[in-house]
Amino acid sequence: MTSTLVRQHVPHPPHPSSPSAAAPRSRARDWAEIQERMLVPLYEAVYERLEVGTGTRLLGLGCGSGLALLMAAARGAAVCGVDPDEERLELARERLLARPGPRPGAHPGAPERAARLVRLGDGGLGDALKGTGAEAAGSGTGTGSGTGFTVVTAFEPLSAIGSGGGPSGPGDALSGRLAAAAALAEPGSPVVLAGWGPPERCATSTVLRVGARLADPMFPQLPLGGAPSPARWQPCGRDDLEHLAQRAGLRPDGSGRVACPFGYADMDSAVRGLLSTGLFDAAERATDPTQVRKEIAEALHPYRRADGTVWMENVLRYLIARV
């Protein structure tokens, strides 16, 4: 089984005054140690439904620090990850590129871990994977040769694909990446998209709205389909995942909802975890990091328990589309 991590170029460095610019390694570590685990119920539900295991060749778009890939690898899957954040990828390397051997919690019969690292340039996924050893798990799908990816996941769009925006909106950029990934998958393979459930069932949405408001005071007045600022939360509409899949040339084929409560040991952990998502980056650029942290803490106050822990109930939604 081969694990592959791919770096994706992004031309938008954060403002030098933001904590994410001053301490990117610390922000990535907060994501890996505090926030990423909140999505484990989503990963587990999808992997169970798709029966991910030995024989699965999985491509993870926006793989972050690699927890979802690690869980798939523990089930026996061959995994390849793509992410624009080099600091998160470094943590994924620590998880996935460790000394070969059985993983704790690995399914019986799961193969030992091995890995190759490649860098994604302007040529796209196909060119990046050529000659790396990963091309055997992603060499195209037109012929049904049995060598393409058999599962593609895009868990990271939880940031808010919103209603897709205009031609340069995040939804269109993501649909292009999905289409490119689908070209590397076997015909009929599932492509999984994830998004927030209804705002009334996602307590965290009240906190994320703080970042949206600070980033753009006109946020509540944005028309449906208004293009959100980069790295800023926007509600996910009822059919947004389906529309995104269709723009990428995919066929929707089922969906599900998963309870993903966000629980933190204390207020500081909650603030750090939420900041690590990147959904407050635009707010930090528009105002200042101190104000953003203060307003996040105030928004979290209703969810603080008597013992000091912070707990927010959320429902996330996923869509399974077919290549």
Side-chain angles (χ1 to χ4, degrees):
M1 186 273 295
T2 302
S3 303
T4 307
L5 299 177
V6 185
R7 188 180 188 278
Q8 195 172 23
H9 288 294
V10 286
H12 304 293
H15 191 280
S17 66
S18 72
S20 55
R25 180 70 172 180
S26 176
R27 182 64 60 88
R29 182 70 68 178
D30 285 344
W31 168 262
E33 297 181 352
I34 300 174
Q35 192 63 34
E36 192 175 22
R37 61 185 175 83
M38 310 298 178
L39 304 180
V40 165
L42 172 66
Y43 304 154
E44 289 180 336
V46 169
Y47 292 162
E48 283 293 326
R49 180 163 177 172
L50 297 180
E51 299 181 341
V52 169
T54 304
T56 299
R57 297 183 295 276
L58 185 145
L59 172 61
L61 302 179
C63 68
S65 50
L67 180 57
L69 295 182
L70 186 65
M71 292 172 61
R75 299 172 68 93
V79 297
C80 172
V82 181
D83 197 277
D85 190 324
E86 179 60 31
E87 296 296 338
R88 289 188 183 184
L89 277 181
E90 275 300 313
L91 297 175
R93 291 184 182 106
E94 293 178 9
R95 286 172 162 170
L96 286 158
L97 310 187
R99 190 172 50 204
R103 284 89 64 203
H107 285 211
E112 291 187 349
R113 178 167 50 207
R116 291 180 182 271
L117 303 180
V118 297
R119 184 175 184 177
L120 182 65
D122 295 335
L125 279 173
D127 287 350
L129 294 175
K130 286 181 180 178
T132 66
E135 59 183 332
S139 57
T141 63
T143 62
S145 59
T147 59
F149 292 105
T150 59
V151 175
V152 178
T153 61
F155 293 128
E156 185 64 12
L158 290 167
S159 57
I161 56 171
S163 299
S168 60
D172 287 296
L174 180 57
S175 66
R177 291 195 293 271
L178 290 172
L184 298 173
E186 288 291 303
S189 295
V191 177
V192 182
L193 311 179
W196 292 97
E200 64 272 14
R201 298 191 63 186
C202 294
T204 306
S205 66
T206 61
V207 184
L208 298 178
R209 285 180 183 275
V210 169
R213 173 177 53 80
L214 291 173
D216 183 356
M218 292 299 292
F219 167 69
Q221 286 76 44
L222 276 176
L224 184 65
S229 304
R232 200 207 70 189
W233 180 82
Q234 182 179 347
C236 188
R238 185 183 65 179
D239 299 320
D240 284 351
L241 295 179
E242 283 80 359
H243 293 161
L244 176 60
Q246 290 168 354
R247 288 201 302 274
L250 304 171
R251 174 176 55 86
D253 187 36
S255 62
R257 291 184 176 183
V258 183
C260 284
F262 286 10
Y264 306 93
D266 50 42
M267 184 63 72
D268 180 67
S269 295
V271 172
R272 287 165 50 203
L274 290 168
L275 284 172
S276 75
T277 65
L279 299 182
F280 295 88
D281 289 357
E284 290 180 325
R285 289 191 292 268
T287 56
D288 71 82
T290 301
Q291 180 182 353
V292 172
R293 292 180 66 94
K294 177 182 177 181
E295 297 212 22
I296 291 175
E298 290 177 355
L300 287 170
H301 184 73
Y303 306 104
R304 185 177 185 180
R305 295 173 164 179
D307 62 359
T309 60
V310 177
W311 187 265
M312 294 181 286
E313 297 285 352
N314 300 295
V315 172
L316 305 184
R317 181 172 181 261
Y318 66 87
L319 173 74
I320 297 174
R322 298 284 173 176
V323 175

